[in-house]
Amino acid sequence: MSLLFKHFPQLIALAERGQLRQLFSRSSHAFGFSASRAHYISSRVKLLALLFAVLTPLWIPVDYFLLGGDQFQLMAVVRLLFSMSLLLLAVVTETGIQLFQARRRLVCLMLLPAVFHLLTQPILADSTQSDLLVCYSFLPFLIIVMHCIFPLTLMEGVGLATFTIALLSLGKLFQGTLFSFRGLADLWLMILIMGVAVWAQLSQLHMKLRLFNEATTDPLTGLLNRRTLMKQLNYVQKQSLRSGRPVALMMMDLDHFKQVNDRYGHQSGDRVLELFADILRQQVRSSDYVARFGGEEFLVVLPDATQDAALQLAERILANCRSLTVTLADRREIRFSVSIGAGQLSGELAVEASLSQVDAALYQAKSQGRDRVVLAGFE
């Protein structure tokens, strides 16, 4: 409880920035982050699976001294099967692994040791060296501790924790000892350690989200940066080719922005950029991509949208800019406008060629008097 109160201000700060939802569920994660996390989870699953596959047979000599002949042979067979299963999990690779595949691998990593633990319980129950078998009771807690090294959302972490603890409790349930004092004590300890593991998962996820956001977003506006959007744009084009659905593009440039910086200062120019970014965030859909393309230039990618839809959105953005008054620190007020070039992402042309067409439309909007939208291919 003290740990929760210690980090409560951080949770409030995350909630105010809209990041708390990202820790709760993956639904608000960017595509690029999901792919990065999938690779991260998969690589750690492989490493742990390989480590268990190598270490598990090395315990066979200990089994030889602690177990009887029949129990030893049966335990050796179970260990070798478990090791081979883990080795298979470690060496099998999938190209372009997605998040659902990585999570499936993670479930297998937790499932295999839990099944191994359940299979060994009847073998150990028949041993006469009961006082020396305490070392075999550590495996369930080791499985739970493994949860700590994976960056999972709260929903993912709680779901995997519930599955793992339920599976590990089956042995005691079948033996009728789950609700004994020792069984309940072990269950309470597993839940307690799992709570710490889930907190560690959220801490890792928060750290990765912060690093990912720093690498992929513009620090001033909070929009995507140019490099990230170009990656997304190539992905969107491939999806469009498969589905046959249109993708609209909008290139925007703030009018006379250099004059704003020269007359009112760069802090005022930054304020204008921030407010314009807010307008874009308010007007686009959650499925759209918005980036600061460089300086005072912005790019919006609209999947499943036609040029007409882009034109309607552009008119709304123009209207919002015209109605907005920016109040500076010295109480002076300024206004700004934007020129927009709109077009379609072609499946036949390279991404750069489609951007060139939209950029040419933006140049036409500038040359025709600014504060307007021009469709690519139209004078």
Side-chain angles (χ1 to χ4, degrees):
M1 185 64 69
S2 61
L3 187 64
L4 178 61
F5 282 111
K6 178 182 177 181
H7 293 278
F8 188 72
Q10 298 179 13
L11 294 176
I12 295 298
L14 289 174
E16 291 176 348
R17 294 195 299 266
Q19 295 178 2
L20 196 59
R21 185 176 58 179
Q22 294 181 324
L23 298 180
F24 181 77
S25 170
R26 66 182 181 89
S27 60
S28 58
H29 291 174
F31 168 79
F33 180 73
S34 296
S36 173
R37 190 163 67 101
H39 176 74
Y40 187 82
I41 292 174
S42 181
S43 62
R44 292 201 165 191
V45 167
K46 289 184 178 182
L47 181 60
L48 277 178
L50 183 61
L51 182 64
F52 266 85
V54 172
L55 294 181
T56 299
L58 297 181
W59 194 263
I60 290 179
V62 180
D63 293 335
Y64 178 78
F65 288 104
L66 295 182
L67 303 177
D70 293 339
Q71 288 85 6
F72 166 71
Q73 294 177 8
L74 189 55
M75 180 68 82
V77 171
V78 173
R79 283 191 181 278
L80 291 175
L81 289 175
F82 173 57
S83 179
M84 287 188 291
S85 300
L86 287 172
L87 187 61
L88 185 64
L89 181 62
V91 300
V92 171
T93 59
E94 298 176 89
T95 57
I97 189 166
Q98 301 297 319
L99 185 58
F100 79 92
Q101 296 170 317
R103 294 195 300 176
R104 183 177 60 194
R105 284 176 172 269
L106 180 56
V107 170
C108 290
L109 179 66
M110 300 304 167
L111 176 64
L112 290 173
V115 171
F116 170 76
H117 174 70
L118 293 176
L119 293 177
T120 58
Q121 291 308 295
I123 302 174
L124 298 174
D126 294 335
S127 175
T128 58
Q129 302 287 340
S130 58
D131 294 338
L132 301 177
L133 299 181
V134 64
C135 53
Y136 292 90
S137 63
F138 296 150
L139 181 58
F141 303 103
L142 179 59
I143 295 172
I144 292 175
V145 170
M146 287 194 305
H147 288 64
C148 293
I149 69 171
F150 297 99
L152 303 179
T153 64
L154 182 61
M155 291 184 63
E156 292 171 339
V158 171
L160 186 62
T162 304
F163 169 76
T164 304
I165 291 178
L167 194 59
L168 291 172
S169 301
L170 286 179
K172 292 184 180 295
L173 183 63
F174 292 151
Q175 295 170 7
T177 60
L178 178 61
F179 298 103
S180 65
F181 178 81
R182 176 63 184 273
L184 291 176
D186 288 346
L187 180 62
W188 169 252
L189 184 57
M190 284 193 294
I191 294 175
L192 187 62
I193 297 175
M194 188 63 82
V196 176
V198 171
W199 186 267
Q201 292 168 355
L202 292 175
S203 299
Q204 282 203 67
L205 180 63
H206 177 223
M207 179 184 66
K208 286 190 67 65
L209 278 167
R210 185 175 62 184
L211 293 175
F212 182 83
N213 289 334
E214 289 176 355
T216 60
T217 59
D218 171 61
L220 176 64
T221 62
L223 302 177
L224 295 177
N225 57 34
R226 179 171 182 161
R227 179 175 60 86
T228 302
L229 186 65
M230 291 303 294
K231 291 182 179 179
Q232 299 282 12
L233 196 51
N234 283 286
Y235 170 76
V236 169
Q237 186 185 48
K238 293 177 182 178
Q239 293 293 100
S240 176
L241 286 172
R242 292 195 195 101
S243 64
R245 296 177 178 176
V247 177
L249 301 175
M250 294 170 55
M251 187 79 77
M252 310 178 189
D253 189 89
L254 294 177
D255 298 327
H256 304 297
F257 186 73
K258 185 177 183 302
Q259 295 181 13
V260 175
N261 281 331
D262 293 341
R263 181 178 301 178
Y264 302 103
H266 288 279
Q267 289 186 342
S268 299
D270 289 347
R271 180 58 179 159
V272 170
L273 291 173
E274 291 173 342
L275 291 175
F276 182 64
D278 289 339
I279 290 175
L280 295 181
R281 270 189 288 264
Q282 293 168 7
Q283 294 299 320
V284 302
R285 303 166 300 177
S286 59
S287 58
D288 298 332
Y289 302 98
V290 187
R292 185 182 178 188
F293 213 57
E296 65 272 23
E297 197 170 48
F298 296 80
L299 179 65
V300 178
V301 181
L302 308 167
D304 299 331
T306 62
Q307 282 187 342
D308 290 340
L311 182 59
Q312 294 174 12
L313 174 60
E315 293 293 350
R316 293 199 303 270
I317 293 172
L318 290 171
N320 274 267
C321 292
R322 292 167 187 150
S323 63
L324 181 64
T325 300
V326 183
T327 303
L328 305 180
D330 58 3
R331 297 187 180 278
R332 286 184 296 176
E333 295 182 346
I334 61 174
R335 292 178 176 273
F336 67 92
S337 62
V338 62
S339 298
I340 304 176
Q344 208 75 36
L345 177 63
S346 173
E348 301 175 356
L349 302 176
V351 167
E352 290 76 9
S354 295
L355 290 178
S356 296
Q357 293 179 349
V358 178
D359 193 49
L362 172 60
Y363 178 78
Q364 292 177 20
K366 290 282 189 183
S367 63
Q368 293 175 12
R370 297 180 171 84
D371 191 20
R372 67 192 63 221
V373 56
V374 172
L375 288 176
F378 292 85
E379 297 295 334

